[in-house]
Amino acid sequence: MKLGGRALKLFLGIAIVAFGLIRYCGSQEENPYTGRTQAISLSTEEEIAIGLQNAPIMADQHGGMHPDQQLQDFVAQVGKKLVDHTIAQETPYQYEFHLLRDPKTVNAFALPGGQIFITYALMERLENEDQLAGVLGHEIGHVVGRHAAERIAQSELANTVATGAEVGADAGMLASQLGQTLLLKNGRGDELESDALGVKFMLEAGYNPEAMIEVMQILKAASGGQRVPEFQSSHPDPENRIQKIKEAIEKYQNN
Ligand SMILES: [Zn+2]
C-alpha cells in the first residue's frame, strides 16, 4: 500500500508536532526555589551566559549606565540585602543590579541568570528604600522563577508546532491554536508570581511589603494612560495585581 502525498504530509505534520510536545513535556522540572513545575530547555549556566551577553546591549538601549556612582552603589546595596536574606542566595545565579541613565522610560527588568536593571526615570519617582526593594524584589522573582528560560522553552514548542502545522497543513489550525494558548496563559502568571516572590523577599529582608502596592500606584500614575514597558505592560490589570499583592502579604506575613 502506498501513502498518498496528502496523507504522508499530514502524518509528517502530526509527527513533528508530537515530537515537539514530547520534547516539551520531557523538559518539565520542578523549580526547587518556587516549587512550581515548569518546562525548561536551558541549563542555569546557559541562563547566566545569555544574561551576561545581553546586559551591555540592554544598557545601550537605555543610554548606558547612570554616572552617579553613589546611586549605583545604593541600588546594588538594596539588591544585595534582598539576595542575602532570601532563597535567591541559594540559587546558582550571579545577581548584579544596575541603574540605567534613561530619564524617560519608567521601567525595570531582569535578564535570565541575575542581571537586573532599573531606569533612572523609575528610580526618581520612588520615594523610599522600601519601594526600591519592591521593584528589585519583583525582578529577582523573575530570575528565581526562571521566567525567561520558561518562555524560551515555550517558543521552541510554538516554533515546532508551527513547522508541523505548515507541513501537515490540514492539522494546522488546531496545532497553532494550541501553541498560542500556551504562550498567552503564561505572561500573566510571570508577573503575578514575581509580585508574590517580591513580597516574600521584602518581608525576609526586613522591608515593608506595603511598599510593593505603592510601587504599583507609582507605575499607574507614571503611565498616565500610556503603557509602561515591562513592569506594568503585563496582562493582569493593576487592581487585580494589587489584590494579589495584598493576598501575598497576608500569606507570608504570618509565616
Ligand atoms: Zn515583571
Side-chain angles (χ1 to χ4, degrees), residues 70-111:
Q70 260 186 321
L71 267 183
Q72 290 286 357
D73 292 347
F74 179 60
V75 171
Q77 176 202 320
V78 172
K80 186 176 185 308
K81 190 170 164 187
L82 284 161
V83 171
D84 285 351
H85 288 86
T86 62
I87 200 151
Q89 195 197 23
E90 291 165 38
T91 66
Y93 303 121
Q94 304 159 4
Y95 297 90
E96 279 182 336
F97 301 88
H98 312 280
L99 177 63
L100 299 169
R101 189 196 287 259
D102 192 336
K104 285 200 186 115
T105 320
V106 176
N107 201 13
F109 55 90
L111 295 175

Side-chain angles (χ1 to χ4, degrees), residues 142-163:
H142 279 307
V143 176
V144 172
R146 304 187 78 183
H147 294 155
E150 198 175 5
R151 293 285 188 92
I152 289 169
Q154 281 161 0
S155 60
E156 282 171 5
L157 171 64
N159 285 341
T160 311
V161 167
T163 306

Side-chain angles (χ1 to χ4, degrees), residues 31 33-40 47 87 91 93 95 138-151 190 193-194 197 201:
N31 183 317
Y33 312 109
T34 63
R36 189 166 60 82
T37 299
Q38 53 191 168
I40 300 275
E47 285 181 274
I87 200 151
T91 66
Y93 303 121
Y95 297 90
H138 172 97
E139 298 307 329
I140 296 170
H142 279 307
V143 176
V144 172
R146 304 187 78 183
H147 294 155
E150 198 175 5
R151 293 285 188 92
D190 287 0
E193 183 172 80
S194 293
L197 287 169
F201 300 157

Side-chain angles (χ1 to χ4, degrees), residues 108 138-139 142 190-191 194-195 230-231 234 241:
H138 172 97
E139 298 307 329
H142 279 307
D190 287 0
E191 295 314 311
S194 293
D195 285 346
E230 194 281 311
F231 218 88
S234 39
R241 262 178 103 175

Side-chain angles (χ1 to χ4, degrees), residues 50-66 98-102 105 107-112 115-119 139 229-230:
I50 289 172
L52 287 173
Q53 212 169 24
N54 286 283
I57 301 165
M58 299 307 284
D60 277 352
Q61 286 174 9
H62 291 275
M65 295 297 165
H66 196 279
H98 312 280
L99 177 63
L100 299 169
R101 189 196 287 259
D102 192 336
T105 320
N107 201 13
F109 55 90
L111 295 175
Q115 298 295 312
I116 290 170
F117 302 84
I118 177 172
T119 63
E139 298 307 329
E230 194 281 311

